[in-house]
Amino acid sequence: MLEWISQPWHWSVSGAAIAAVMFLLLYAGKEFGVSSNLRTMCTIAGAGRKYDFFRIDWRAQRWNLTFVAGSVLGGFLAFYVLPSSEPVTVSAETVTYLQSVGLSAPGAGELHSSFVPGELFAVDQLFTLRTLLVVILGGFLVGFGARWAGGCTSGHAISGLSNLQLPSLIAVVGFFIGGLFMSWVLLPFILQL
Amino acid sequence: MRFLVYLFIGTFFGFVMTKSEAISWYRILEMFRFESFHMYGIIGTAVVLGAIGVALAKRFGWTASDGQALKLNPKNFSVPRYLYGGTLFGLGWALTGACPGPMFTLLGQGIWLIGLVILSATVGTFSYGVVRHRLPH
């Protein structure tokens, strides 16, 4: 059993588990949405004193901050306590592409994790231009875009589409417009920097 | 006591994100390059099961544990905020390879630069709060 849950899961098992997370939260009287926590963190840092968007009762969001703390812990357990014996297996086409842009394939680099490329996420890469763009610009766009759109993957793609909300479908179309443009047009350029 | 429940659900979520490999920068690239069905399978399964469950909940009037209606708040309809905001989000998602949930999960795995991504995302959310009156919604 432990052996089975330690290995990468089939997509159908993973998808069912994500739906289960959404229903567990609904049953607890809450709504699945991770990016709201970024707003709460701004409120805790005092942003509400000047900007009314952050004038919310952060105590009502403590459950969500606890959820996020759990997801850090879950990541730790899944990676260090019940690790998978194999690196992430992406398709052969993706590996070929990675090599063509000078990134190591999953597990082939020196990083302790096969989930992300060391060329972008190893600490000693921090002051390269491409890592700064990935980390600083990428993070900024996620945080700004999620709040403008009123939700991220969990709030729109999972919760919103499950509830057949048209706004969430528009948001997901936006996710793909942006994601495709980045992956096909901007990323190849950024990786050369 | 109730917080232990959220901690537990969150821990399960972080575990699922890891074993599904949805936290992987490589998987996100592969998805946007249409080179594997993996991520579409995950999201598709979650949405189909989610939609079936939500439809059943509405049909049979299922409530939350405290007897209140399920929190399925419909969002106000408009186009610009979802399309523009979603597009910016997508640009960031494909660049960092992480949406907000996986960011926190990766932090538990010693990917320290993800801490800076979370910080930047928080600054991004703050910036939205500052300029939102001037943006189309």
Side-chain angles (χ1 to χ4, degrees):
Chain A
M1 180 67 187
L2 279 182
E3 171 60 23
W4 187 79
I5 64 168
S6 297
Q7 299 314 311
W9 298 357
H10 188 263
W11 50 261
S12 62
V13 177
S14 305
I18 293 169
V21 168
M22 183 185 79
F23 284 115
L24 284 170
L25 288 176
L26 280 175
Y27 186 66
K30 307 298 181 193
E31 199 176 16
F32 183 32
V34 181
S35 63
S36 308
N37 290 297
L38 301 171
R39 182 186 187 184
T40 309
M41 282 155 59
C42 292
T43 299
I44 291 174
R49 281 198 290 273
K50 260 190 102 172
Y51 301 101
D52 57 358
F53 182 67
F54 300 105
R55 232 158 271 159
I56 53 173
D57 177 19
W58 68 269
R59 287 178 187 81
Q61 293 294 319
R62 274 183 302 189
W63 71 270
N64 210 347
L65 295 171
T66 312
F67 175 85
V68 154
S71 76
V72 176
L73 180 63
F76 175 83
L77 292 174
F79 188 74
Y80 289 109
V81 182
L82 294 171
S84 161
S85 53
E86 299 161 49
V88 174
T89 318
V90 290
S91 72
E93 294 98 312
T94 307
V95 171
T96 307
Y97 175 72
L98 288 166
Q99 285 161 349
S100 76
V101 291
L103 294 181
S104 54
E110 295 189 359
L111 199 69
H112 68 289
S113 167
S114 74
F115 287 119
V116 298
E119 290 85 356
L120 299 178
F121 287 95
V123 174
D124 61 6
Q125 299 293 316
L126 177 57
F127 294 106
T128 61
L129 188 52
R130 62 181 183 185
T131 289
L132 281 174
L133 283 172
V134 168
V135 168
I136 306 294
L137 177 65
F140 186 91
L141 287 168
V142 168
F144 193 103
R147 214 63 274 130
W148 193 0
C152 60
T153 328
S154 50
H156 278 310
I158 308 292
S159 301
L161 290 186
S162 291
N163 195 26
L164 310 180
Q165 297 176 357
L166 191 54
S168 294
L169 184 63
I170 301 170
V172 172
V173 167
F175 296 171
F176 270 83
I177 293 172
L180 291 174
F181 189 72
M182 177 56 71
S183 296
W184 290 90
V185 181
L186 300 179
L187 191 67
F189 173 73
I190 290 171
L191 290 176
Q192 286 169 10
L193 296 175
Chain B
M1 188 54 214
R2 219 170 145 69
F3 281 88
L4 278 180
V5 173
Y6 298 119
L7 189 70
F8 174 79
I9 302 174
T11 304
F12 178 65
F13 176 65
F15 202 92
V16 172
M17 284 290 101
T18 306
K19 295 308 179 190
S20 69
E21 299 178 340
I23 59 165
S24 173
W25 187 92
Y26 293 113
R27 284 292 192 190
I28 304 305
L29 178 76
E30 185 190 48
M31 169 180 80
F32 284 125
R33 290 181 58 80
F34 302 113
E35 290 172 340
S36 167
F37 182 70
H38 186 81
M39 289 301 303
Y40 296 100
I42 294 173
I43 298 172
T45 306
V47 170
V48 168
L49 293 179
I52 293 171
V54 168
L56 288 174
K58 284 180 176 169
R59 174 75 181 75
F60 295 106
W62 293 342
T63 57
S65 56
D66 59 1
Q68 301 278 321
L70 296 182
K71 259 205 152 63
L72 294 163
N73 304 327
K75 301 216 188 297
N76 295 326
F77 181 78
S78 79
V79 173
R81 72 171 300 183
Y82 302 110
L83 194 60
Y84 301 150
T87 301
L88 288 191
F89 177 85
L91 288 167
W93 186 16
L95 187 53
T96 61
C99 46
M103 284 179 190
F104 289 97
T105 302
L106 283 168
L107 195 59
Q109 306 185 355
I111 309 293
W112 303 123
L113 289 192
I114 268 299
L116 286 178
V117 178
I118 295 173
L119 194 65
S120 287
T122 310
V123 172
T125 296
F126 173 74
S127 306
Y128 167 76
V130 174
V131 301
R132 63 190 288 265
H133 297 296
R134 280 179 264 160
L135 298 172
H137 278 84

